[in-house]
Amino acid sequence: MSLQPRPADTYNPLYFLASVGSGGLAVTFFMYLMFWVPHPGRPVPIVEDITAAWTTGTPALRLAIATAMAGIALFAALNLRALAWNLTRFSAWSKTEAYAKLRTTNAEATLLARPLALAMSVNALFILGLVFVPNLWSVVEVLFPAAMVAFVLIGALAFRDIGRYLGRILSTGGAFDMTQHNSFGQLLPAFAFAMTGVGLAAPAAMSHSPQTVGAALVLSTLFGTAAFVYAVIALITAMSSMLHHGTAKEAAPTLMIVVPLMTILGILLMRQDHGLHVTFDGHTSAGETLVFLARFISVQILFLALGLTVMRRQGYFRDFVFGSKTSPGSYALVCPGVAFNVLLFFFVHKGLVAAEVIAKFSAPYWALIALALASQIAMIALVFRLNRQHFARPSTARAIPAE
């Protein structure tokens, strides 16, 4: 006897995005603590700051803290569970004919979803440590080099995969099918490089060791530059193909992959700027930061509008989100909503409030935060919806004789 199969039973490396999306949602809940819990003398809040805020805070702040910690715990757990599932399935799948066939097509770029998910999970683990491990900050200078080694190893995996891919298509004429390049799916390697880079930039913003900060600045610049260069090339060539052939319907969510790229690269650059300011006496004014973040969030708005317009005209949501069709690429929809939420929190606090354009907790402040929270809530609903679609047995499933 056998059960009716689930969509996830047919493995695809894009299922790593299920892990990435959940990890991103854990980050959105960390934004509550980052900007609402005082953490004097530190760039991020830790357990001791959270405990102090809980003790002295208002009922509203306590509610925010409780919600944040529950959200972080839940979605970090989902992130790690999805990562473990993917690594197990990927290991078995990599020995199949389907894997060998994928490595002869444009879809080989989807293999970069693995280092992307690994880098996201390391970031999620760091957040778990900050929020739930007492006295972590006392040993953080030891942890930073270890984290950097982990990110460098993940980055080496990403470079190996993309080197194998580019080596094949650039050394053999006709190995790349431009008619199948009609989406922004080829930006996935840039996403992986950027996620590795933003992790490497964290010690630049948080360490007090000039050597650690210097190494973090150099290494994060390497991966950030790789992400930017690869993204520009992939964007230009993909747009040309889409103008000729239209956008591939199943890959339509990739039209918004620029949104998480903007958030990750924006935070990477802000972490570097903080490190330059604290350790090497570099200075950026509040007004310059405001304009910097406004540019990044403007790019996000443009690509969100582009992606949503195309998907609406193609009926993507009707078919793949609310309908009966399934595609592992649907998990790419989670990243833009998560990324918009996170960058909007930074834009409001590090941009508008820091530059004294609006006051913290004023009516305009809450209007913008409400927009960020709406994006977060929508992505939470989307994650649970997609998880049911892809990983749950159909409700009408019944046992059938095995062939």
Side-chain angles (χ1 to χ4, degrees):
M1 303 289 286
S2 63
L3 293 175
Q4 186 174 339
R6 307 170 302 173
D9 291 335
T10 302
Y11 187 71
N12 187 301
L14 288 178
Y15 277 121
F16 274 108
L17 296 180
S19 176
V20 175
S22 293
L25 280 170
V27 176
T28 65
F29 282 100
F30 184 69
M31 293 297 99
Y32 297 9
L33 306 177
M34 178 74 179
F35 294 111
W36 294 338
V37 170
H39 43 94
R42 279 180 292 268
V44 290
I46 60 175
V47 175
E48 290 74 14
D49 297 318
I50 297 168
T51 302
W54 179 270
T55 302
T56 61
T58 63
L61 180 57
R62 289 187 179 185
L63 176 61
I65 291 172
T67 302
M69 296 186 73
I72 290 168
L74 171 62
F75 286 103
L78 291 177
N79 163 264
L80 295 173
R81 185 180 72 172
L83 178 67
W85 179 87
N86 271 284
L87 291 174
T88 301
R89 292 298 304 271
F90 184 90
S91 178
W93 177 75
S94 64
K95 301 176 178 66
T96 66
E97 184 179 340
Y99 171 78
K101 182 178 179 181
L102 179 136
R103 287 196 54 201
T104 65
T105 68
N106 294 13
E108 185 177 2
T110 62
L111 297 179
L112 273 293
R114 180 170 53 150
L116 168 62
L118 288 168
M120 179 75 254
S121 291
V122 174
N123 285 314
L125 286 170
F126 184 69
I127 288 175
L128 283 174
L130 291 174
V131 174
F132 293 106
V133 180
N135 301 315
L136 183 70
W137 205 250
S138 64
V139 296
V140 75
E141 292 295 348
V142 177
L143 295 178
F144 283 143
M148 290 170 66
V149 169
F151 280 115
V152 167
L153 291 174
I154 294 169
L157 174 63
F159 273 124
R160 188 203 69 175
D161 287 346
I162 199 60
R164 192 165 54 186
Y165 176 49
L166 293 179
R168 175 177 65 81
I169 63 177
L170 295 179
S171 63
T172 306
F176 188 82
D177 187 352
M178 284 297 295
T179 64
Q180 299 298 313
H181 188 28
N182 54 338
S183 73
F184 287 163
Q186 292 295 319
L187 270 74
L188 190 58
F191 197 178
F193 289 139
M195 187 67 75
T196 304
V198 77
L200 284 165
M206 302 179 196
S207 176
H208 294 291
S209 165
Q211 290 73 30
T212 300
V213 173
L217 287 170
V218 172
L219 290 169
S220 60
T221 297
L222 169 64
F223 285 96
T225 301
F228 176 78
V229 171
Y230 197 96
V232 169
I233 295 171
L235 274 170
I236 293 172
T237 54
M239 185 59 74
S240 175
S241 181
M242 285 189 289
L243 290 173
H244 282 86
H245 307 290
T247 302
K249 185 174 180 178
E250 283 199 31
T254 65
L255 293 176
M256 298 185 291
I257 198 172
V258 173
V259 177
L261 272 177
M262 289 297 99
T263 293
I264 296 169
L265 292 176
I267 293 175
L268 185 156
L269 292 171
M270 289 192 68
R271 285 176 169 178
Q272 289 186 334
D273 181 73
H274 186 80
L276 289 169
H277 168 68
V278 173
T279 307
F280 299 113
D281 203 31
H283 298 283
T284 301
S285 70
E288 290 171 326
T289 300
L290 170 63
V291 173
F292 165 79
L293 290 169
R295 288 168 179 163
F296 273 64
I297 210 162
S298 295
V299 174
Q300 287 189 330
I301 292 170
L302 293 174
F303 278 91
L304 281 170
L306 172 65
L308 292 173
T309 297
V310 173
M311 287 190 293
R312 182 180 61 82
R313 291 181 66 90
Q314 290 184 329
Y316 185 92
F317 290 98
R318 180 189 64 233
D319 292 340
F320 291 99
V321 177
F322 303 110
S324 59
K325 295 181 181 180
T326 59
S327 168
S330 295
Y331 277 99
L333 288 170
V334 179
C335 298
V338 164
F340 181 70
N341 167 280
V342 172
L343 193 62
L344 189 53
F345 260 90
F346 274 90
F347 175 64
V348 169
H349 294 91
K350 298 294 187 180
L352 296 173
V353 173
E356 299 182 353
V357 175
I358 64 173
K360 193 172 185 179
F361 305 133
S362 64
Y365 172 92
W366 284 118
L368 291 169
I369 293 300
L371 180 60
L373 295 179
S375 179
Q376 180 192 40
I377 292 168
M379 293 307 101
I380 291 170
L382 179 60
V383 162
F384 287 122
R385 168 68 178 174
L386 293 177
N387 285 348
R388 286 197 304 272
Q389 282 183 309
H390 290 264
F391 292 94
R393 298 287 178 187
S395 58
T396 58
R398 60 183 177 84
I400 58 175
E403 296 181 359

